[in-house]
Short mmCIF file of all heavy atoms in Angstrom, two decimals:
data_model
loop_
_atom_site.label_atom_id
_atom_site.label_comp_id
_atom_site.label_asym_id
_atom_site.label_seq_id
_atom_site.Cartn_x
_atom_site.Cartn_y
_atom_site.Cartn_z
N PHE T 317 -68.10 -120.41 -62.78
CA PHE T 317 -67.55 -119.13 -63.04
C PHE T 317 -68.00 -118.27 -64.25
O PHE T 317 -67.75 -117.16 -64.18
CB PHE T 317 -65.91 -119.44 -63.32
CG PHE T 317 -65.34 -120.06 -62.04
CD1 PHE T 317 -64.67 -121.30 -62.20
CD2 PHE T 317 -65.28 -119.37 -60.85
CE1 PHE T 317 -63.98 -121.89 -61.08
CE2 PHE T 317 -64.64 -119.96 -59.81
CZ PHE T 317 -63.95 -121.17 -59.86
N LEU T 318 -68.62 -119.01 -65.22
CA LEU T 318 -69.02 -118.22 -66.34
C LEU T 318 -70.58 -117.84 -66.22
O LEU T 318 -71.19 -117.28 -67.24
CB LEU T 318 -68.81 -118.93 -67.58
CG LEU T 318 -67.36 -119.40 -67.86
CD1 LEU T 318 -67.14 -120.17 -69.17
CD2 LEU T 318 -66.41 -118.04 -67.80
N GLN T 319 -71.28 -118.36 -65.26
CA GLN T 319 -72.69 -118.01 -65.17
C GLN T 319 -72.78 -116.41 -65.01
O GLN T 319 -72.08 -115.77 -64.29
CB GLN T 319 -73.13 -118.61 -63.78
CG GLN T 319 -74.65 -118.46 -63.48
CD GLN T 319 -75.43 -119.43 -64.44
OE1 GLN T 319 -74.96 -120.36 -64.94
NE2 GLN T 319 -76.66 -119.26 -64.61
N PRO T 320 -73.68 -115.88 -65.84
CA PRO T 320 -73.90 -114.41 -65.86
C PRO T 320 -74.21 -113.89 -64.39
O PRO T 320 -74.95 -114.44 -63.79
CB PRO T 320 -74.94 -114.18 -66.87
CG PRO T 320 -74.99 -115.34 -67.72
CD PRO T 320 -74.49 -116.55 -66.92
N GLY T 321 -73.43 -112.79 -63.96
CA GLY T 321 -73.83 -112.27 -62.74
C GLY T 321 -72.97 -112.77 -61.48
O GLY T 321 -72.82 -112.21 -60.55
N THR T 322 -72.28 -113.92 -61.76
CA THR T 322 -71.46 -114.62 -60.68
C THR T 322 -70.10 -113.76 -60.57
O THR T 322 -69.66 -113.43 -59.52
CB THR T 322 -71.13 -116.03 -61.01
OG1 THR T 322 -72.31 -116.78 -61.26
CG2 THR T 322 -70.36 -116.59 -59.93
N LEU T 323 -69.49 -113.45 -61.62
CA LEU T 323 -68.16 -112.75 -61.66
C LEU T 323 -68.36 -111.60 -62.69
O LEU T 323 -68.96 -111.75 -63.67
CB LEU T 323 -66.99 -113.73 -61.85
CG LEU T 323 -66.66 -114.61 -60.82
CD1 LEU T 323 -65.48 -115.60 -61.15
CD2 LEU T 323 -66.23 -114.00 -59.46
N PRO T 324 -67.36 -110.61 -62.67
CA PRO T 324 -67.27 -109.70 -63.69
C PRO T 324 -66.99 -110.40 -65.02
O PRO T 324 -66.34 -111.38 -65.07
CB PRO T 324 -66.22 -108.65 -63.21
CG PRO T 324 -66.24 -108.83 -61.79
CD PRO T 324 -66.52 -110.27 -61.58
N PRO T 325 -67.36 -109.79 -66.23
CA PRO T 325 -67.21 -110.36 -67.45
C PRO T 325 -65.74 -110.79 -67.77
O PRO T 325 -65.61 -111.87 -68.48
CB PRO T 325 -67.60 -109.26 -68.43
CG PRO T 325 -68.60 -108.45 -67.73
CD PRO T 325 -68.04 -108.41 -66.29
N ASP T 326 -64.84 -110.05 -67.21
CA ASP T 326 -63.46 -110.41 -67.46
C ASP T 326 -62.72 -111.25 -66.49
O ASP T 326 -61.50 -111.56 -66.72
CB ASP T 326 -62.52 -109.17 -67.86
CG ASP T 326 -61.37 -109.45 -68.66
OD1 ASP T 326 -61.53 -110.13 -69.72
OD2 ASP T 326 -60.28 -108.93 -68.29
N TRP T 327 -63.53 -111.76 -65.56
CA TRP T 327 -62.95 -112.56 -64.47
C TRP T 327 -63.36 -114.09 -64.50
O TRP T 327 -62.61 -114.85 -63.89
CB TRP T 327 -63.40 -111.91 -63.13
CG TRP T 327 -62.49 -110.74 -62.82
CD1 TRP T 327 -62.75 -109.41 -63.05
CD2 TRP T 327 -61.37 -110.67 -62.02
NE1 TRP T 327 -61.81 -108.59 -62.68
CE2 TRP T 327 -60.87 -109.34 -62.04
CE3 TRP T 327 -60.44 -111.59 -61.56
CZ2 TRP T 327 -59.66 -108.94 -61.45
CZ3 TRP T 327 -59.24 -111.29 -60.98
CH2 TRP T 327 -58.80 -110.03 -60.78
N GLY T 328 -64.44 -114.35 -65.04
CA GLY T 328 -65.01 -115.65 -65.03
C GLY T 328 -63.97 -116.71 -65.78
O GLY T 328 -63.56 -117.70 -65.13
N TRP T 329 -63.64 -116.34 -67.07
CA TRP T 329 -62.69 -117.25 -67.73
C TRP T 329 -61.33 -117.34 -67.03
O TRP T 329 -60.57 -118.37 -67.12
CB TRP T 329 -62.52 -116.78 -69.16
CG TRP T 329 -61.99 -115.52 -69.45
CD1 TRP T 329 -62.55 -114.32 -69.51
CD2 TRP T 329 -60.49 -115.22 -69.57
NE1 TRP T 329 -61.63 -113.27 -69.72
CE2 TRP T 329 -60.45 -113.82 -69.81
CE3 TRP T 329 -59.43 -115.96 -69.58
CZ2 TRP T 329 -59.15 -113.16 -70.05
CZ3 TRP T 329 -58.08 -115.41 -69.78
CH2 TRP T 329 -58.10 -114.01 -70.01
N ARG T 330 -60.92 -116.29 -66.50
CA ARG T 330 -59.62 -116.29 -65.71
C ARG T 330 -59.80 -117.20 -64.52
O ARG T 330 -58.71 -117.96 -64.26
CB ARG T 330 -59.20 -114.96 -65.29
CG ARG T 330 -59.03 -113.85 -66.42
CD ARG T 330 -58.64 -112.41 -65.92
NE ARG T 330 -58.65 -111.51 -66.88
CZ ARG T 330 -57.56 -111.18 -67.69
NH1 ARG T 330 -56.45 -111.90 -67.51
NH2 ARG T 330 -57.67 -110.25 -68.61
N ALA T 331 -60.65 -117.12 -63.79
CA ALA T 331 -60.85 -117.94 -62.63
C ALA T 331 -60.93 -119.43 -63.04
O ALA T 331 -60.44 -120.36 -62.28
CB ALA T 331 -62.07 -117.59 -61.80
N ALA T 332 -61.59 -119.76 -64.13
CA ALA T 332 -61.72 -121.05 -64.63
C ALA T 332 -60.42 -121.79 -64.88
O ALA T 332 -60.13 -122.96 -64.52
CB ALA T 332 -62.55 -121.21 -65.94
N PHE T 333 -59.42 -121.05 -65.33
CA PHE T 333 -58.02 -121.60 -65.65
C PHE T 333 -57.30 -121.87 -64.36
O PHE T 333 -56.39 -122.59 -64.29
CB PHE T 333 -57.23 -120.66 -66.43
CG PHE T 333 -57.50 -120.68 -67.92
CD1 PHE T 333 -58.13 -119.65 -68.55
CD2 PHE T 333 -57.32 -121.85 -68.53
CE1 PHE T 333 -58.39 -119.77 -69.85
CE2 PHE T 333 -57.59 -121.88 -69.99
CZ PHE T 333 -58.22 -120.77 -70.57
N GLY T 334 -57.75 -121.35 -63.14
CA GLY T 334 -57.24 -121.57 -61.81
C GLY T 334 -57.48 -123.08 -61.42
O GLY T 334 -56.74 -123.68 -60.53
N ILE T 335 -58.57 -123.74 -61.91
CA ILE T 335 -58.83 -125.05 -61.57
C ILE T 335 -57.62 -126.00 -61.84
O ILE T 335 -57.25 -126.87 -61.01
CB ILE T 335 -60.04 -125.55 -62.33
CG1 ILE T 335 -61.28 -124.73 -62.05
CG2 ILE T 335 -60.43 -126.99 -61.82
CD1 ILE T 335 -62.52 -125.07 -62.76
N GLY T 336 -57.19 -126.03 -63.01
CA GLY T 336 -55.99 -126.84 -63.45
C GLY T 336 -54.70 -126.63 -62.58
O GLY T 336 -54.05 -127.50 -62.22
#
Side-chain angles (χ1 to χ4, degrees):
F317 295 120
L318 301 180
Q319 188 75 17
T322 303
L323 291 172
D326 204 44
W327 283 90
W329 64 268
R330 296 181 189 273
F333 282 111
I335 301 173

